[in-house]
Amino acid sequence: MSMESVLIECVQNSLVHFMHHNAIFMCERLCAEFPSETNMQLLAGCYLQNQQAYAAYHVLKGTSMAQSRYLFALSCFQMGLLTEAETALCPPNEPAVEVPNGAAGHYLLGLIYRYTDRRKISIQHFNQALLLDPLLWAAYEELCILGAAEEAAVVFGEASLLCIEKQHLYQGNQSRNFQASTDDQNVASKNIVSDDISPRQSKHTHSNNLREISGNYYAAAIQNLGGASTNMSFYNTPSPMASQLSGVVPPPVCRNFQQIGANASVAGADNSPRSTVNSTIQAPRRKFVDEGKLRKISGRLFPDSGPRRNSRLAGESTGNTNPNVSAASGNGTIHSSKYYGSSKLSSMTLRSMTSRKAQSWATENYGEGIRNDISDDSRLNMTVSHSSGDARPLEQEGPGTFAAGVNLSSTSILSGASEILTLFRILGEGYRLSCLYRCQDALDAYNKLPHKHYHTGWVLSQIGRAYFEMVDYLEADHAFGLARLASPYSLEGMDVYSTVLFHLKEDMKLSYLAQELVSTDRLAPQSWCAMGNCYSLQKDHETALKNFQRAVQVNPRFAYGHTLCGHEYIALEDFENAIKSYQSALRVDARHYNAWYGLGMIYLRQEKFEFSEHHFRMALGINPHSSVIMSYLGTSLHALKKNEEALEVMELAVIADKKNPFPMYQKANILVSMESFDAALDVLEELKEHAPRESSVYALMGRIYKRCNMYDKAMLHFGVALDLRPSATDVATIKVIVHLPTHARVYIYYQICFWLPSKNCMYQMRWKMNYNISELTGK
């Protein structure tokens, strides 16, 4: 074994054991002794695994091989150099060049186009990535976030299974063809030995031939996976893609196998792709996340009904969790029966358990199948990685094995792929509906999952998000609590969980959650969002703003963090910076409806009603089921004197969420402006049943009675409103009672004494209304 092979194997072993510093040191020695572009790729991979994208950038700058271009583009993407990343993947002077690394390359290119605001072409590349690799969940996730995903039953249907089957059959045929070719070359090598060659020379010659066949066999096998017109790189590249089925890979797209020459003395085991093919590079964490519900800005009415914050990374900050792996982990199953409660989430889970009893054995054993496939895949990687220095020729392997030595039958592959696709259809449909804000439909979809997958951190976090969008904070709290129990190490959805606790005013739980998240990962934006929500709940808006800015600093592509900064700027009356923050959120995610909503609220407060209407309509176009957005859109239309249209919107808002009293209140206001007092009073009487202690309702009823010259009822409702600690606006409205005639005030005073005999209440009313008993009675 040559020095180069020893160094490569040492680097690979260091990477397998996550000893990145040692891998970088040894790889630097490798590049110094053998300065080839292939070895530079390995060094760049070491840097990327060690979170040193800037180092990989400088190492690969100016290289031309397909794998080098992919790694260079990945480095540029992590550094925010999107233009250079796009140029590396699609050189402008080579329009016909293929995107390197197949599905992973198209996925990366889709992300680049997404963050440069080219939505249509981004969608094309995500779809292309799914065509090349039907199990690339991350691409489907991005399509859902963009609102362009097809139904999961179509994406993960029969066509995907046929694609996987074709890939497997093609791979098996090529393996058998090369096996036969290897046998022929072995026979030819034996015939070459002449009578005048000594046995020692014959043995040496045969050994060299075996090394050459071994290296060329594996190189050609990898190349042929992608077809005759494609090219293959030398290493598995870091890819933000989900875990694939063991033994099934998308057709790779690379060009540069010519650079491994046919020199038997150098190729063989020393410099063959086999020795370097599995220098696996860790995928960068994706921290996209997430959207947020905005805090209701104007008025005190029903603070829990306004969309303060929401997130969408997900993944997400989905970046910290892999949906496929988390679905297979089954962490939540050990807690499932222990944490059932009386909530709707628990009852739905129990119903789903009952309905799932009739499902097939294959459906009930998804988790085992996925775990077995992942285990097979890990063994495949380990076999290739540790066999890089093995001189045993591959022709010794059986005809039913791959180059890595793992026996994968066609039946097992198709069975496993079918089970995974069935699981993806449920998960994908639930996630798609959630991104379209059809939250109840999404919950119904997730309820079809097998028990072991339902009780995983990712699924429970998605259920918590759905309840959060439905303004059901208690159920959202319960779901996120189960998610924390299932995956206490995961930060998926924790920014939304902190907002749920903010709305519930659970200051102790929120403080504990924030400290836990920061201690878990100080470089995650979710941690700083939770900390910011904690300070915002305490009305410390300046400190909260600093924490939200820290979240944006950690991940500039975290749209939720920008939105939260905008909320705090509004609380500090800094509308200019609030607008900038919301616009930054929209540059990251144009479908982040909370940012559109925040801009609409700013323009509504600034009485720029045309702008306000436009932004509320944009938000409603993204989330057409939000009662709060409809309410404020109706308010803007009412300010623009479009009362009929405003009433229609308010009716839709009431239907969308009958628990939200705010649209009913706004509807009554519109009816009052149209002088439909009886209709307004009917609405307010109904509203009193939903919000019996809301001062604004009684103040508005008092205004209506006053305009109808019903002074006794007006005084009664004004008194009730004052006793409920009204806002400054309502107090100013109530003070108009001093303009009533003296005899009316005296009569109303005795009426109040009859209905509100409490001396404390009468004292508060006299003090707040700035007149005393002698003034009322004329004494």
Side-chain angles (χ1 to χ4, degrees), residues 344-364:
K344 289 185 287 185
L345 178 65
S346 300
S347 62
M348 286 201 305
T349 306
L350 291 172
R351 288 199 301 272
S352 68
M353 290 172 60
T354 304
S355 64
R356 285 193 294 270
K357 289 180 180 179
Q359 292 183 353
S360 65
W361 178 89
T363 304
E364 288 297 327

Side-chain angles (χ1 to χ4, degrees), residues 182-245:
T182 303
D183 293 339
D184 293 340
Q185 293 186 38
N186 287 338
V187 173
S189 65
K190 292 179 181 179
N191 294 332
I192 293 176
V193 182
S194 61
D195 296 336
D196 58 342
I197 298 180
S198 65
R200 182 175 181 180
Q201 291 174 324
S202 174
K203 182 178 179 181
H204 178 71
T205 304
H206 183 64
S207 176
N208 288 338
N209 288 336
L210 288 180
R211 287 199 300 269
E212 180 178 2
I213 292 169
S214 176
N216 292 338
Y217 175 93
Y218 195 72
I222 299 177
Q223 184 177 14
N224 278 272
L225 290 178
S229 62
T230 58
N231 304 280
M232 183 60 196
S233 56
F234 302 126
Y235 307 108
N236 289 340
T237 62
S239 167
M241 59 188 291
S243 298
Q244 299 180 3
L245 183 65

Side-chain angles (χ1 to χ4, degrees), residues 219-451:
I222 299 177
Q223 184 177 14
N224 278 272
L225 290 178
S229 62
T230 58
N231 304 280
M232 183 60 196
S233 56
F234 302 126
Y235 307 108
N236 289 340
T237 62
S239 167
M241 59 188 291
S243 298
Q244 299 180 3
L245 183 65
S246 174
V248 180
V249 295
V253 185
C254 288
R255 300 179 297 159
N256 304 287
F257 248 73
Q258 307 89 298
Q259 311 223 2
I260 298 291
N263 187 350
S265 62
V266 179
D270 296 346
N271 194 24
S272 69
R274 181 179 179 183
S275 64
T276 58
V277 68
N278 247 56
S279 58
T280 309
I281 302 171
Q282 185 180 6
R285 292 191 309 170
R286 294 177 59 246
K287 302 177 183 176
F288 309 135
V289 176
D290 268 177
E291 305 188 344
K293 271 220 180 238
L294 291 164
R295 172 175 21 185
K296 184 168 74 68
I297 300 169
S298 59
R300 303 170 53 254
L301 188 60
F302 323 122
D304 285 345
S305 65
R308 169 180 167 80
R309 304 174 173 134
N310 180 18
S311 83
R312 188 113 114 100
L313 234 79
E316 121 7 341
S317 245
T318 59
N320 298 335
T321 58
N322 185 325
N324 299 336
V325 177
S326 64
S329 62
N331 290 330
T333 57
I334 60 175
H335 304 288
S336 58
S337 61
K338 184 177 180 180
Y339 296 102
Y340 281 144
S342 59
S343 67
K344 289 185 287 185
L345 178 65
S346 300
S347 62
M348 286 201 305
T349 306
L350 291 172
R351 288 199 301 272
S352 68
M353 290 172 60
T354 304
S355 64
R356 285 193 294 270
K357 289 180 180 179
Q359 292 183 353
S360 65
W361 178 89
T363 304
E364 288 297 327
N365 286 275
Y366 284 144
E368 285 85 346
I370 294 177
R371 280 194 292 271
N372 292 336
D373 289 335
I374 293 174
S375 177
D376 290 343
D377 188 59
S378 63
R379 288 196 296 269
L380 176 64
N381 291 335
M382 291 296 293
T383 304
V384 176
S385 178
H386 288 292
S387 65
S388 59
D390 187 6
R392 184 176 63 90
L394 291 180
E395 68 270 13
Q396 295 178 7
E397 298 173 353
T401 61
F402 289 99
V406 178
N407 191 354
L408 296 174
S409 66
S410 176
T411 304
S412 62
I413 285 292
L414 294 182
S415 176
S418 178
E419 291 180 353
I420 292 180
L421 289 174
T422 302
L423 179 63
F424 274 23
R425 282 194 288 271
I426 302 175
L427 292 170
E429 190 63 13
Y431 190 75
R432 185 184 72 88
L433 293 171
S434 180
C435 291
L436 294 176
Y437 301 100
R438 294 167 54 183
C439 299
Q440 187 58 55
D441 293 338
L443 291 174
D444 294 339
Y446 288 129
N447 202 36
K448 299 176 183 177
L449 285 169
H451 183 273

Side-chain angles (χ1 to χ4, degrees), residues 109 306 334 446 448 563 637 655 728:
L109 199 54
I334 60 175
Y446 288 129
K448 299 176 183 177
T563 300
L637 293 171
I655 295 173

Side-chain angles (χ1 to χ4, degrees), residues 1 62 73 126 131 189 212 229 259 413 433 460 496 549 589 592 612 631 657 741 772:
M1 184 180 293
F126 287 136
L131 287 176
S189 65
E212 180 178 2
S229 62
Q259 311 223 2
I413 285 292
L433 293 171
L460 290 170
V496 181
Q549 288 173 336
D589 183 3
H592 190 60
S612 177
S631 301
D657 185 4
N772 51 35

